[in-house]
Amino acid sequence: MKTEDVIIINNNEIASEIWEMEFLAPKISSNYKGAGQFIQIQLDPGWGNPLRRPMSIASCRDSKISIIYKIFGQGTKILSQKISGDVLNVLGPLGNSFQYKKNNLNILVGGGVGLAPIINLWKELDELRDNSYLIIGAKTKNEHIHSHNPDEHIYLTTDDGSMGLPGTVMEALKVVYENVKSSEVFACGPEPMLKQIQSFVIKNNIPAQLSVESYMGCGVGICQGCIISRRNYKNKNHSYHKKYSLVCVDGPIYSAGDVIFD
Ligand SMILES: Cc1cc2nc3c(=O)[nH]c(=O)nc-3n(C[C@H](O)[C@H](O)[C@H](O)COP(=O)(O)OP(=O)(O)OC[C@H]3O[C@@H](n4cnc5c(N)ncnc54)[C@H](O)[C@@H]3O)c2cc1C
């Protein structure tokens, strides 16, 4: 893990309120382990915004890193105003990465801002010529950056039915799973979505890895702001860390059976 002053190469709106930023980060790139890892971005060097903002790595190649982010509040608004040549202080790479077997028929599911690590994993698997399935959910068509193309194994969903399959990612997951009986599911998105995927995979006995995007302050295990309950907790004389997990240092990726969304 390193801090680095990274130089922004470009920062563009790629869909409604969804931005992609690419920057030069040779030090952080050299420690990158794979899709699922994230970085913590300092918005400005003063005390205006003391907490860094966590963002998943959407790609890492040739010393360049990209992120895909949605304007959510003040911090992401500030990020969207940065231009090519601006410098940001970034901490990373942080967290664990998705672990997959080659030649598996995987189903990748991304919802909302959970898109970034899933797109990264999709590209990683594509390079291995893995024939995976991609499911991306959004509220409406303007928030999508892909085209619905089941022939290419890309399934989009929209809550309002304006593109792809109407409904949530669960509708597409059921359709795809019924057809392929996939060997593993990988998902990232808002907690209600992860909760539904968790119930589905446990009920159908499908191995799955879920990337949890909880609020976090420091990103390095000090502030304890990002705890999640561990499942199958048996030992009553527990240590705090056996009962709870810190998403920033133990995660953000967990086996679906290991955590409880309260
Ligand atoms: C591992 C991880 C990866 C992520 N990847 C992406 C991504 O790829 N793309 C994307 O768009 N978003 C991603 N997010 C979410 C993103 O970090 C938030 O959307 C972003 O921090 C919002 O910042 P804001 O200033 O715009 O929002 P605001 O709501 O204005 O501010 C959020 C700030 O308040 C703090 N905060 C608010 N409530 C709490 C609370 N209950 N406990 C502790 N702190 C709190 C946050 O830590 C943060 O500093 C990720 C989050 C995590 C944890």
Side-chain angles (χ1 to χ4, degrees), residues 38 51 53-56 68-70 72-76 113 116 213-216:
F38 66 101
L51 292 178
R53 299 302 194 263
M55 288 290 159
S56 296
I68 298 173
Y69 62 97
K70 187 175 172 70
F72 188 76
Q74 193 196 347
T76 39
V113 293
E213 292 191 343
S214 57
Y215 274 118
M216 61 177 66

Side-chain angles (χ1 to χ4, degrees), residues 202-246:
I202 290 175
K203 189 172 155 213
N204 291 286
N205 207 15
I206 313 165
Q209 291 169 43
L210 308 178
S211 179
V212 180
E213 292 191 343
S214 57
Y215 274 118
M216 61 177 66
C218 69
V220 293
I222 298 168
C223 76
Q224 313 278 303
C226 59
I227 55 159
I228 187 165
S229 301
R230 294 185 190 271
R231 191 187 284 270
N232 294 332
Y233 167 69
K234 293 185 186 109
N235 182 2
K236 282 195 178 146
N237 298 318
H238 60 82
S239 74
Y240 173 81
H241 200 181
K242 279 184 182 156
K243 193 167 181 184
Y244 301 106
S245 173
L246 292 171

Side-chain angles (χ1 to χ4, degrees), residues 2 4-7 23-32 60-65 93:
K2 301 205 180 297
E4 182 173 17
D5 286 331
V6 307
I7 302 167
F23 45 78
L24 204 54
K27 279 197 214 161
I28 294 174
S29 313
S30 65
N31 286 279
Y32 171 72
C60 178
R61 189 181 286 267
D62 303 330
S63 300
K64 293 176 201 152
I65 287 180

Side-chain angles (χ1 to χ4, degrees), residues 44-59:
D44 56 62
W47 285 100
N49 289 284
L51 292 178
R52 290 170 183 263
R53 299 302 194 263
M55 288 290 159
S56 296
I57 295 175
S59 71

Side-chain angles (χ1 to χ4, degrees), residues 132-145:
S132 299
Y133 286 75
L134 178 68
I135 299 171
I136 300 289
K139 287 198 187 90
T140 185
K141 69 174 180 189
N142 297 343
E143 295 177 359
H144 275 301
I145 58 174

